[in-house]
Amino acid sequence: MYTGRVVFGDMDEVVFGQPAAEAVAAQLDRLHLSRAFLMVSGTLNRNTDEIDKIRKRLGRRYVGSFDAMPAHTPREAVVAAAEQARAAGADIIVTVGGGSITDGAKAVQLCLANDVRIASDIDGIRAVNGVAPVMNAPKVRQISVPTTIAGGEFSAIAGVTNTRTRVKEMLRHELVIARAAILDPAITIHTPEWLWLSTGIRAVDHCVEGLCSREAHPYADAHALKGLSMLAQGLPRVKANAGDLDARLECQIGAWLSMGPLAAGVPMGASHGIGYVLGAMHDVPHGYTSCVMLPAVLRWNKSANAKRQELVSAAMGQPGRDAGDVLDDFIRALGMPRSLQDIRIGPESFDRIAEQAMATPWVPRNPRKIDNPGQVREILVLAA
């Protein structure tokens, strides 16, 4: 008998296929808000007119912006953004950019609500062993315009890097999920190909680890199967023609669906857990961690969930093939890195990576039980 719990997050709307500037303004109208603080991609802000379009459309409702969020969302940048949003008197944060910016705004919401003013104060709001401390709920929420497809805007979890320890820490609160997500494929034209495709594999990773979890259930499966099918079709189309807006939107909707398992309480596994460590310790982009680790994790897990892995191959249009091989071929065809060597991580780092991975929320819930760092090291060797 299935058992589980599906929690519907506090997101009001997902708007897709509409221009970002118009959709953002409409959300402020809907929510009766008047002081929008933008957290945006520095590249978009400096090299395109996309952010200016939003500023102009908001008019007097625009009160400031922050465009200096580095990859992996370091604590110091979160605090700097929070100070600017506080000084501006923001009543809504609008993000335009990738996952680090989206996660940054989630953390900023908690900083504003809990008077976090220096990096070390984040100790008081970070989750420990996946459990968040008691804290004030955010009152300043977020509207998200993602330019990549890792799907973080659909999650109430943020990853923030402690630069002192080089560990990515979890922040979570049910209200940090965006109030609205705006999926505008046109604004993503500026996203570099490697970033679009690799974050697409991150979304594939959500689908695959959700499907292969020992805690999977039909509601989550429905999202993951459709999302995986859309991503498997859409990503090669964008690779072939960067201007194909229909394919880009297909990828965006696939990424949205990929977050269904997490939203429905299905945990991720070792690919995500090891990926947390590779990002924080070695500054590997999130998408690349999934490109490198996911096929290896599938192969290591196959003795425990071969039947579930058959769903992965079928959803990707290759029923009957080994899922690890299907993912390996798919990622290679997109031109993404496929080994730890490709991202310049050698065996001398494996023991430390394995130790830290054991402390992540996902490795202990991997479908094939992982009891010790030596087993994580086995996966790393498969990915070498």
Side-chain angles (χ1 to χ4, degrees):
M1 182 183 296
Y2 291 109
T3 63
R5 180 168 175 256
V6 177
V7 177
F8 294 96
D10 199 36
M11 175 180 277
D12 304 335
E13 295 189 4
V14 178
V15 179
F16 49 92
Q18 298 181 22
E22 294 302 318
V24 168
Q27 290 298 317
L28 265 67
D29 292 341
R30 178 180 71 85
L31 297 168
H32 306 292
L33 297 170
S34 60
R35 300 189 65 81
F37 182 79
L38 308 188
M39 289 182 61
V40 301
S41 157
T43 302
L44 276 183
N45 195 26
R46 290 186 296 271
N47 299 340
T48 79
D49 64 350
E50 300 290 357
I51 308 304
D52 271 341
K53 288 178 189 175
I54 296 172
R55 289 192 186 101
K56 288 174 182 174
R57 183 63 182 81
L58 292 177
R60 292 183 179 180
R61 294 186 291 183
Y62 163 72
V63 296
S65 60
F66 179 89
D67 72 351
M69 183 61 67
H72 306 298
T73 320
R75 282 184 171 198
E76 292 78 7
V78 167
V79 170
E83 286 298 300
Q84 290 188 28
R86 185 180 286 117
D91 62 9
I92 189 72
I93 299 167
V94 178
T95 59
V96 186
S100 295
I101 293 166
T102 304
D103 275 9
K106 295 178 191 177
V108 165
Q109 294 174 65
L110 295 176
C111 290
L112 294 175
N114 293 277
D115 199 33
V116 170
R117 294 179 180 270
I118 58 175
S120 60
D121 287 346
I122 291 179
D123 286 338
I125 60 171
R126 69 182 178 90
V128 177
N129 296 324
V131 179
V134 176
M135 67 182 99
N136 295 329
K139 294 180 180 178
V140 179
R141 299 284 300 282
Q142 177 183 171
I143 295 167
S144 179
V145 183
T147 59
T148 60
I149 44 176
E153 57 278 2
F154 299 106
S155 162
I157 297 171
V160 174
T161 299
N162 185 328
T163 52
R164 181 180 59 81
T165 62
R166 295 191 66 80
V167 171
K168 179 158 278 191
E169 300 166 334
M170 179 187 289
L171 277 63
R172 67 188 311 162
H173 191 285
E174 60 186 3
L175 295 183
V176 299
I177 191 171
R179 285 204 70 173
I182 295 164
L183 307 181
D184 174 10
I187 204 170
T188 73
I189 289 288
H190 308 285
T191 303
E193 180 187 78
W194 73 268
L195 185 56
W196 181 263
L197 297 177
S198 65
T199 55
I201 298 301
R202 187 68 167 178
V204 166
D205 200 352
H206 297 326
C207 295
V208 171
E209 290 216 300
L211 284 169
C212 293
S213 172
R214 59 176 178 262
E215 300 174 52
H217 53 72
Y219 180 88
D221 286 353
H223 289 77
L225 287 167
K226 181 61 175 177
L228 184 55
S229 175
M230 294 184 78
L231 289 160
Q233 295 174 64
L235 288 169
R237 288 173 58 198
V238 175
K239 171 77 172 174
N241 177 10
D244 187 339
L245 295 187
D246 288 334
R248 286 180 175 273
L249 184 57
E250 188 165 343
C251 292
Q252 288 180 303
I253 294 175
W256 171 19
L257 291 168
S258 82
M259 297 301 289
L262 271 170
V266 177
M268 299 292 97
S271 179
H272 277 73
I274 296 169
Y276 270 25
V277 178
L278 297 179
M281 185 187 296
H282 293 278
D283 201 30
V284 180
H286 288 159
Y288 279 1
T289 68
S290 292
C291 293
V292 169
M293 294 311 309
L294 182 57
V297 169
L298 282 170
R299 287 164 176 151
W300 194 84
N301 283 340
K302 189 171 182 179
S303 63
N305 63 1
K307 283 292 184 186
R308 299 297 296 182
Q309 291 195 25
E310 290 176 6
L311 298 174
V312 172
S313 301
M316 297 188 72
Q318 299 188 54
R321 283 196 68 202
D322 176 83
D325 291 346
V326 171
L327 265 297
D328 193 344
D329 291 347
F330 185 76
I331 295 165
R332 288 182 191 277
L334 294 176
M336 295 293 101
R338 270 299 303 116
S339 70
L340 289 167
Q341 184 178 0
D342 288 346
I343 55 174
R344 299 177 183 172
I345 295 174
E348 68 280 359
S349 301
F350 287 3
D351 288 342
R352 188 174 171 216
I353 293 168
E355 288 284 350
Q356 288 204 14
M358 292 298 296
T360 67
W362 301 135
V363 165
R365 297 176 78 176
N366 188 65
R368 178 180 167 189
K369 199 166 187 313
I370 296 177
D371 295 308
N372 58 69
Q375 291 171 302
V376 178
R377 201 179 198 286
E378 291 174 10
I379 299 171
L380 294 171
V381 168
L382 288 174

